[in-house]
Every structure is written in structure tokens, then in C-alpha cells.
């Protein structure tokens, strides 16, 4: 009997140690993320980044986004609804984190659409068609051209723009900023410079609400 209780006690100690380790790890990760933001300076928002919502909004969600990422696709309606429900107080800034094969090409195609003022329609069509072109075993980002053909784009111009040095440079800047800020998975969110270290839809809403509460104070 005593041996049984000793074993139960030992298991309990191990479990508590594991929980404590997880808490310490999360705290350390959060601290590292905050330090990365502080050291990164302008790495969060760049002039070339697409913006959804009021450009003058007091709360900014920065999303490091991979066009091939299924979770990014799932989160897009949520983030859009947060912005739309904010009465102009929240904006979304998109930065690219092309972590999957072919995602860099997808980003260049979307950026070509942005140059013609069709970024958001093109993005939504690309996300809707993501299962077709973004297979991780056989990515085919060139199929995005078919997905966005009915957005009213000058397709010849868009195809040329996608090869431009300016778009390549903007994408390289996003990748450099992603590394500076320690983004290793997508979507990676920052709200008014605060990293979302405990990932989830509820947690993202809560972080936005915290920042909204700050700007609403008299």
C-alpha cells in the first residue's frame, strides 16, 4: 500500500514538474517574442504591406501570412470579421512568411494584383482555391492565375509585374522581418506590437479587445 502511494506521489511530482516546465517555456517564449519586437524597430509594418480596414485605425493587427497555409486560410474570415466589426478602430497589415514550397511565388502573384488595386479580391479567390494549387506534395502556384482571372486584372501586366525586382525586394524584406521578429510558424500575429504567444482564435480576439480597451479610455 505504501509503495502504491509512493508511486502515485512520484507520478504527481512528475506531472507538476511538466506543467511548471510548460509555463516557464511559454513565459520564456513570450519574453523572447517581446524582445524581438522591441529590437526589430520598423520590422512590423512596412510601407509596401497591404492594409485592410481604416489606415488610421488605432489598433493594428500584423499578420505574418503564408498563402499556402491552411490555418491562415481558416483564420482569414475571423481576422476580417474583427476588422469589420471594429467601426474603423482596427486594421489588418499583411506581411508574408512563405514557409511552404511555392508560397513565395503565390505571394508575388498576389502582389501583382495589389498593384492594380485588386489585392483583396485576388487573395480571397486564391484562398478559396487553395486546396487545388497549394498541395504541399505538389504545389502549383501558377494555377492562381486561373483563380483570379475574373477579378478584372490586366493579366499581361500582372504577369509582368510578378517578375519585377520591386516585388521581389518587398518579399525579401518581409522574409527578413519575419526572421528578425522570430516568426517560425503561420499565421503569426502581433497586435499593436504585442505578439500572440498563446495561439488561438479566442486568444487573438482577447488580445485585440485588450488593445481596444486601452484606446477607448478617456
Amino acid at each position: 500500500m505504501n509503495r502504491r502511494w509512493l508511486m502515485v506521489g512520484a507520478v504527481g511530482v512528475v506531472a507538476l514538474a511538466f506543467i511548471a516546465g510548460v509555463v516557464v517555456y511559454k513565459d520564456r517564449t513570450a519574453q523572447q517574442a517581446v524582445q524581438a519586437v522591441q529590437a526589430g524597430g520598423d520590422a512590423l509594418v512596412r510601407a509596401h504591406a497591404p492594409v485592410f480596414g481604416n489606415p488610421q485605425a488605432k489598433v493594428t493587427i500584423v499578420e505574418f501570412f503564408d498563402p499556402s497555409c491552411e490555418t491562415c486560410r481558416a483564420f482569414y474570415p475571423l481576422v476580417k470579421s474583427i476588422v469589420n466589426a471594429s467601426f474603423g478602430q482596427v486594421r489588418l497589415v499583411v506581411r508574408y512568411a512563405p514557409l511552404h514550397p511555392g508560397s513565395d511565388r503565390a505571394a508575388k502573384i498576389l502582389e501583382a494584383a495589389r498593384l492594380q488595386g485588386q489585392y483583396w479580391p485576388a487573395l480571397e479567390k486564391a484562398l478559396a482555391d487553395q486546396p487545388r494549387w497549394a498541395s504541399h506534395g505538389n504545389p502549383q502556384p501558377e494555377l492562381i492565375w486561373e483563380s483570379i482571372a475574373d477579378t478584372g486584372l490586366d493579366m499581361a501586366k500582372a504577369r509582368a509585374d510578378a517578375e519585377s525586382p520591386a516585388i521581389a525586394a518587398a518579399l525579401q524584406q518581409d522574409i527578413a522581418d519575419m526572421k528578425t521578429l522570430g516568426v517560425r510558424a503561420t499565421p503569426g500575429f502581433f497586435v499593436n506590437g504585442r505578439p500572440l504567444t498563446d495561439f488561438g482564435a479566442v486568444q487573438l480576439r482577447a488580445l485585440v479587445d485588450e488593445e481596444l480597451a486601452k484606446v477607448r479610455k478617456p
Side-chain angles (χ1 to χ4, degrees):
M1 192 67 166
N2 288 338
R3 182 179 298 174
R4 178 185 173 189
W5 283 111
L6 284 172
M7 290 184 65
V8 170
V11 170
V13 169
V14 171
L16 287 172
F18 175 78
I19 294 171
V22 169
V23 171
V24 169
Y25 174 79
K26 284 188 174 181
D27 286 345
R28 185 176 301 160
T29 301
Q31 291 171 2
Q32 290 172 344
V34 170
Q35 290 170 355
V37 172
Q38 293 171 344
D42 296 329
L44 276 172
V45 177
R46 299 286 182 181
H48 65 263
V51 177
F52 179 73
N54 176 11
Q56 306 304 318
K58 294 183 178 180
V59 175
T60 298
I61 302 172
V62 175
E63 177 181 355
F64 277 85
F65 169 87
D66 185 328
S68 302
C69 166
E70 295 95 335
T71 308
C72 294
R73 180 177 185 244
F75 263 73
Y76 176 74
L78 168 68
V79 179
K80 186 177 178 181
S81 70
I82 291 174
V83 174
N84 286 336
S86 73
F87 300 100
Q89 296 188 37
V90 180
R91 67 172 181 161
L92 167 67
V93 176
V94 174
R95 308 296 306 281
Y96 295 109
L99 299 176
H100 291 95
S103 292
D104 54 347
R105 181 60 180 168
K108 289 180 179 180
I109 295 171
L110 293 173
E111 283 298 288
R114 181 179 65 82
L115 294 181
Q116 295 186 42
Q118 294 296 322
Y119 181 81
W120 300 106
L123 174 63
E124 293 192 3
K125 288 182 176 295
L127 289 178
D129 210 18
Q130 187 194 73
R132 185 170 73 100
W133 63 263
S135 168
H136 297 328
N138 181 32
Q140 301 179 72
E142 295 300 321
L143 292 177
I144 296 174
W145 293 118
E146 297 177 10
S147 304
I148 65 177
D150 62 350
T151 57
L153 286 173
D154 178 335
M155 296 301 289
K157 182 179 186 306
R159 287 179 179 274
D161 286 339
E163 310 299 332
S164 71
I167 284 181
L171 181 58
Q172 287 305 309
Q173 182 66 70
D174 281 12
I175 293 171
D177 289 341
M178 170 192 77
K179 293 177 180 178
T180 295
L181 294 168
V183 176
R184 297 180 180 86
T186 54
F189 292 106
F190 298 81
V191 181
N192 278 6
R194 296 174 61 192
L196 183 70
T197 54
D198 188 10
F199 184 78
V202 172
Q203 293 88 334
L204 177 60
R205 284 188 182 275
L207 188 55
V208 171
D209 286 343
E210 286 178 20
E211 291 303 310
L212 280 171
K214 292 179 184 177
V215 301
R216 287 170 179 165
K217 285 183 179 179

